[in-house]
Amino acid sequence: MRIDLHTHSSTSDGTDTPEQLVEQAVRARLDVVALTDHDTFDGLDAAVATGERVGVQVVRGLELSCTHGGSSVHLLGYGADPADPELAREMARVRDGRTGRLTGVLAKLDALGVGVSEEAVMRFVGDSPSVGRPHIADALVEAGHVHDRTEAFDRYLYDGGPAHVHRYAIDLAHGIDLVRGAGGVAVIAHPWGRGREHVLPAELLAVLAAEHHLDGLEVEHQDHDRATRHRLRVLARQLDLLATGSSDYHGTGKVDHDLGVNTTDPSVFAEISDRMAARVR
Ligand code: AMP
Ligand code: ZN
Ligand code: FE
Ligand code: FE
């Protein structure tokens, strides 16, 4: 059984529609795929309907934009109720902040001599209910200022970079409470990726597990090298946290993140499924 629990569609900053993504999951020989768009549930119904048609189990997920110690941290949620008012309110606040920062980012890019228009960015936003940095990156590529999304981030858009503008994100511990309060299973995405180990040290993860009932850590992820995966796997076992593996697929928006490039063990997915069922309200 092949299980991939972290993917993005055009409902956030991936390039496949939810339908196309689930069809690609068949080609990648996946049995289970979670759609985890950034701060929105908008793509889930279409993904689930396609899954029923093509014989792939689609897990209703999300990736919530959180923050700890001033750094951005992503939290995956599985089976959270889209109608939960507190979670919905916070997700809307994140989306508003993401879109609201666009004017500021465009002004900074202009001053750096690599201007793009709001209309150019909006052409890449598609069905996404908010404007992410990857959409701005796409406009920079189109204008010929950079070759790809990665170069756009590395030169201009990275956290603290020359065209970066701060936006609202949810305190991590509160984010875990929100996902669990909405009946969801909470897993920290790529916790030690991109040199972030100092943001989420083992002691903090232990506190989040003990006091906020964090469910798991995404261990197998392309942002983690072999040694990091090993240390995270050991830590997850020590803290009695579930260890997941996923692609973080973004279609053509992210290279080296093909569907199924990392997968989650069937026994771990069975436990996630049990917890989702037990928490349905
Ligand atoms: P935003 O939520 O608009 O701040 O943008 C976050 C998105 O940008 C996520 O999908 C990340 O995958 C992507 N992202 C963040 N940092 C980088 C980076 N250094 N290179 C490429 N993509 C990135
Ligand atoms: Zn993304
Ligand atoms: Fe992420
Ligand atoms: Fe992601």
Side-chain angles (χ1 to χ4, degrees):
M1 193 143 123
R2 277 166 50 80
I3 302 155
D4 187 340
L5 293 182
H6 182 170
T7 70
H8 297 273
S9 75
S10 56
T11 303
S12 62
D13 52 10
T15 55
D16 291 351
T17 64
E19 293 87 349
Q20 288 167 338
L21 186 149
V22 176
E23 282 161 6
Q24 288 300 325
V26 177
R27 258 161 243 139
R29 294 178 294 106
L30 292 175
D31 303 285
V32 179
V33 66
L35 180 62
T36 54
D37 277 317
H38 297 284
D39 311 294
T40 179
F41 294 114
D42 285 1
L44 294 180
D45 287 345
V48 169
T50 306
E52 284 168 3
R53 183 164 56 77
V54 301
V56 172
Q57 183 183 347
V58 174
V59 176
R60 292 178 177 269
L62 88 156
E63 188 173 17
L64 198 60
S65 296
C66 295
T67 180
H68 182 80
S71 291
S72 142
V73 177
H74 289 173
L75 182 68
L76 296 163
Y78 300 111
D81 179 3
D84 182 89
E86 283 180 60
L87 178 59
R89 194 181 321 119
E90 280 295 286
M91 287 168 69
R93 202 171 159 197
V94 171
R95 291 195 302 268
D96 289 348
R98 182 182 280 122
T99 301
R101 132 198 95 168
L102 177 61
T103 312
V105 174
L106 295 184
K108 286 192 170 187
L109 289 172
D110 227 19
L112 291 160
V114 288
V116 292
S117 69
E118 189 168 324
E119 296 71 52
V121 176
M122 294 314 290
R123 279 201 294 278
F124 292 100
V125 174
D127 306 327
S128 171
S130 64
V131 183
R133 279 179 287 171
H135 303 126
I136 303 171
D138 289 342
L140 285 166
V141 174
E142 184 188 54
H145 297 312
V146 293
H147 288 100
D148 53 25
R149 280 185 177 181
T150 304
E151 188 184 348
F153 271 91
D154 289 349
R155 288 179 66 176
Y156 304 112
L157 300 173
Y158 64 90
D159 289 2
H164 185 244
V165 173
H166 180 79
R167 67 165 167 80
Y168 176 72
I170 304 163
D171 170 74
L172 176 60
H174 185 50
I176 295 169
D177 293 347
L178 284 170
V179 166
R180 292 190 49 109
V185 174
V187 174
I188 298 183
H190 42 72
W192 288 353
R194 302 177 196 267
R196 286 301 173 79
E197 192 173 337
H198 62 281
V199 178
L200 299 174
E203 308 78 63
L204 174 73
L205 296 174
V207 170
L208 295 173
E211 295 177 12
H212 294 271
H213 310 289
L214 174 68
D215 290 283
L217 302 174
E218 186 178 56
V219 172
E220 311 295 334
H221 185 280
Q222 296 301 81
D223 288 354
H224 296 152
D225 62 21
R226 273 189 59 163
T228 303
R229 293 178 189 209
H230 177 72
R231 287 185 305 115
L232 270 173
R233 215 176 293 125
V234 169
L235 180 65
R237 205 175 304 136
Q238 283 171 352
L239 299 179
D240 199 20
L241 290 170
L242 300 170
T244 67
S246 351
S247 63
D248 203 356
Y249 175 74
H250 281 68
T252 57
K254 220 171 189 178
V255 293
D256 200 26
H257 287 259
D258 293 340
L259 281 171
V261 66
N262 301 298
T263 55
T264 294
D265 192 273
S267 66
V268 172
F269 179 60
E271 180 62 28
I272 290 174
S273 301
D274 286 350
R275 293 186 193 185
M276 285 193 294
R279 289 177 201 165
V280 161
R281 298 140 343 122

